Amino acid sequence: MEHTTTHALPFPHVELSGFDAGLTEQETAAQAVIHRFAAEVMRPIGRALDRMDPDHAYAEGSPFWDFHKAAATLGMGPEALEGLDPRAAARLEALVIAEMGWGDVGLAVSSGAGEMPLRGALASGDPELIELCQGKLGCWIATQPDRGSDGLILYPQERAVGAKGTVGNLTARFIGDEIVVNGQSSAWVSNGCVAQVGLLDIVADYGQGYHDAQGDTYGCNVIVPLDVKGVSRGKPLRKLGKRALPQGEIYFDQVRLPRRFAIATRDDYEIKHAMAWAHAGTAMSHLSAGLARAAFELALAYTNERKQGGALLADLQLTQFRLGQLGAKVEAIKAMSRHVADYTRTSPAPHPYFTAAGKAFCSSEMFTVVNESLQLFGGVGLTQEFPIEKLMRDARAMQIEDGETNILFMHYGFLLAQMNRAGAWGKN
Ligand SMILES: Cc1cc2nc3c(=O)[nH]c(=O)nc-3n(C[C@H](O)[C@H](O)[C@H](O)COP(=O)(O)OP(=O)(O)OC[C@H]3O[C@@H](n4cnc5c(N)ncnc54)[C@H](O)[C@@H]3O)c2cc1C
């Protein structure tokens, strides 16, 4: 139906991010810059890398490195939020990360994970560590072959009865002024096979073994330059989705680091680990918002082109109903991601299980949107003629990345039950 009569209600106001109003000038400008970068740089490079063999995709001179060179000129690294109050920082970060997710979620994670060591170094305030990380591609080395979901357990009651915290395959021993690291990461470390610096988030022995009296493991966060003696890499992983993101094992053989490279040790590890994980969960929620919108926009455009039974798909009521449901989900994911980000930055006591619930909600709803958007294409949605099939594969990876969806909801449910039992929530 044409909206040309004078009686028709005008269209509502929308921004690049959909139904948004009240963005500041700075926010609109940042969103526009990143949107353009996402459209002109991230999408073409992401699609090219998706079709390349992983053995060549991340080699020197590949489009992967062109992306990082171009991204470095945007000035949107962790320093960009310095000086903003927490609420403004949460808003700006939400807009920027969602646009990057709209561009390519694999490259967006390469960029985000790439900043993790620098974020840790900046928080420590240590100029030596900041210099060590600045201008380098980083990675976050947390999971291992024998320590996946169980690395995310924060309370002893969540473990199987009698079980101790899992030590895993990669550990640090603090001996005098040195840290000695041995073992291997999982194959899933984002940027793992190409990163220049890493943030270790692993179990540690401070001289009394790996466990405390409750059976919890001691942990540490250590900045590690990945060109030191004893570090080697696995081959880039061959995988279903997020193929623009290089992933692979990192091996440590008697790697010796000065103790001053540790930015979290026995007493402050839990809280710093929780905050780093909460940051990652928030970013993943924004990425889901961007990816959901990208898929929905493709479906919306397609239904306005494809004719069946003599009518455009978009003129059929069933299609309009499906578009309405998906469009509402796109807005709900965005709202939840921003709520989680705002709460995490402004709450006097944030919690990574709440952030995890946000990530699980946003990524699982996003998967529904991407899946149903592909469905609106019919058979052609399965082919490489349209980018929707790539978005579907990328979306699939996000159901496991940074915590598998069921596990994250389980942690949140555990927290709610404990809070209720203690009279901290829900007993008004
Ligand atoms: C795209 C991507 C990027 C990633 N990036 C990084 C990174 O940068 N750094 C990093 O360190 N890691 C990274 N990871 C790893 C990721 O965090 C893990 O894959 C994830 O936490 C799940 O661990 P797992 O693969 O070992 O699965 P598992 O823990 O083995 O889980 C397998 C299945 O068992 C279920 N399960 C596990 N425990 C329980 C339980 N107690 N009760 C009931 N069911 C259970 C899970 O729900 C899941 O369905 C990445 C993964 C992906 C896919």
Side-chain angles (χ1 to χ4, degrees):
M1 190 173 37
E2 299 270 324
H3 279 263
T4 49
T5 71
T6 50
H7 304 295
L9 195 64
F11 286 142
H13 173 86
V14 285
E15 299 283 351
L16 290 166
S17 42
F19 286 69
D20 273 334
L23 299 186
T24 66
E25 255 178 54
Q26 186 199 16
E27 287 168 348
T28 316
Q31 187 183 54
V33 168
I34 303 298
H35 187 81
R36 196 164 158 199
F37 179 73
E40 294 177 2
V41 179
M42 295 181 80
R43 284 190 166 185
I45 290 183
R47 284 172 198 165
L49 292 173
D50 182 57
R51 296 190 189 185
M52 284 174 76
D53 187 299
D55 285 343
H56 306 298
Y58 323 111
E60 217 182 308
S62 83
F64 173 77
W65 293 105
D66 295 339
F67 159 72
H68 278 290
K69 261 184 235 143
T73 64
L74 289 173
M76 291 290 174
E79 301 98 329
L81 300 178
E82 273 173 21
L84 290 180
D85 73 67
R87 181 146 284 152
R91 281 174 62 102
L92 187 60
E93 195 171 50
L95 293 170
V96 167
I97 299 177
E99 269 347 279
M100 292 190 75
W102 179 89
D104 186 283
V105 281
L107 291 175
V109 168
S110 178
S111 186
E115 288 168 357
M116 291 291 278
L118 179 59
R119 277 182 188 277
L122 287 169
S124 79
D126 183 331
E128 183 190 8
L129 295 181
I130 296 172
E131 200 187 322
L132 212 96
C133 299
Q134 222 141 25
K136 303 220 177 89
L137 186 66
C139 65
W140 184 23
I141 309 166
T143 57
Q144 300 138 42
D146 296 336
R147 196 169 192 261
S149 301
D150 40 6
L152 302 176
I153 291 174
L154 297 181
Y155 297 96
Q157 305 95 299
E158 294 181 276
R159 291 197 297 268
V161 180
K164 285 181 164 189
T166 312
V167 172
N169 320 72
L170 179 60
T171 53
R173 289 174 64 219
F174 284 67
I175 307 167
D177 286 342
E178 266 192 339
I179 310 166
V180 183
V181 184
N182 268 303
Q184 74 160 97
S185 75
S186 76
W188 292 107
V189 173
S190 300
N191 294 334
C193 47
V194 293
Q196 295 146 327
V197 61
L199 175 62
L200 286 167
D201 191 335
I202 56 174
V203 169
D205 175 2
Y206 293 93
Q208 285 103 28
Y210 294 119
H211 296 97
D212 65 15
Q214 285 188 301
D216 287 329
T217 48
Y218 297 112
C220 67
N221 284 149
V222 180
I223 305 269
V224 51
L226 292 170
D227 55 359
V228 292
K229 190 164 168 261
V231 172
S232 58
R233 319 295 178 99
K235 281 172 74 110
L237 203 58
R238 295 173 176 273
K239 53 193 173 146
L240 174 81
K242 278 208 166 170
R243 289 165 53 87
L245 170 70
Q247 294 182 279
E249 298 98 345
I250 310 180
Y251 300 93
F252 296 80
D253 181 10
Q254 286 288 104
V255 172
R256 292 176 181 278
L257 302 164
R259 197 182 174 112
R260 62 180 190 279
F261 284 9
I263 57 172
T265 52
R266 182 167 40 193
D267 296 332
D268 60 353
Y269 169 74
E270 286 301 327
I271 189 75
K272 288 186 175 167
H273 165 72
M275 286 309 101
W277 183 24
H279 168 78
T282 304
M284 291 293 295
S285 303
H286 297 319
L287 291 181
S288 286
L291 176 50
R293 174 160 51 90
F296 179 61
E297 286 174 3
L298 289 175
L300 200 53
Y302 184 74
T303 58
N304 263 321
E305 288 162 13
R306 170 77 169 164
K307 275 192 175 163
Q308 278 301 283
L312 275 177
L313 288 182
D315 283 341
L316 302 171
Q317 276 194 324
L318 176 61
T319 312
Q320 291 166 0
F321 174 78
R322 291 164 76 186
L323 290 174
Q325 278 200 322
L326 293 183
K329 277 188 192 289
V330 168
E331 293 296 322
I333 297 165
K334 182 177 71 181
M336 180 62 161
S337 72
R338 290 180 185 179
H339 171 50
V340 167
D342 181 74
Y343 174 84
T344 302
R345 279 211 183 248
T346 62
S347 162
H351 197 288
Y353 282 2
F354 175 64
T355 323
K359 186 265 167 179
F361 176 86
C362 291
S363 61
S364 54
E365 290 299 308
M366 171 273 284
F367 191 68
T368 306
V369 171
V370 178
N371 191 32
E372 183 60 11
S373 294
L374 188 150
Q375 196 78 3
L376 278 164
F377 278 79
V380 79
L382 302 170
T383 70
Q384 291 190 344
E385 195 177 326
F386 291 94
I388 190 75
E389 63 86 28
K390 171 183 176 291
L391 300 194
M392 181 77 202
R393 289 183 285 110
D394 289 350
R396 191 67 190 81
M398 287 174 72
Q399 309 309 304
I400 296 167
E401 177 176 14
D402 199 37
E404 189 273 333
T405 308
N406 296 293
I407 293 288
L408 298 187
F409 279 132
M410 180 185 76
H411 286 314
Y412 184 49
F414 167 83
L415 178 69
L416 295 177
Q418 297 298 313
M419 288 175 72
N420 183 263
R421 196 173 303 169
W425 194 67
K427 274 192 178 168
N428 307 322

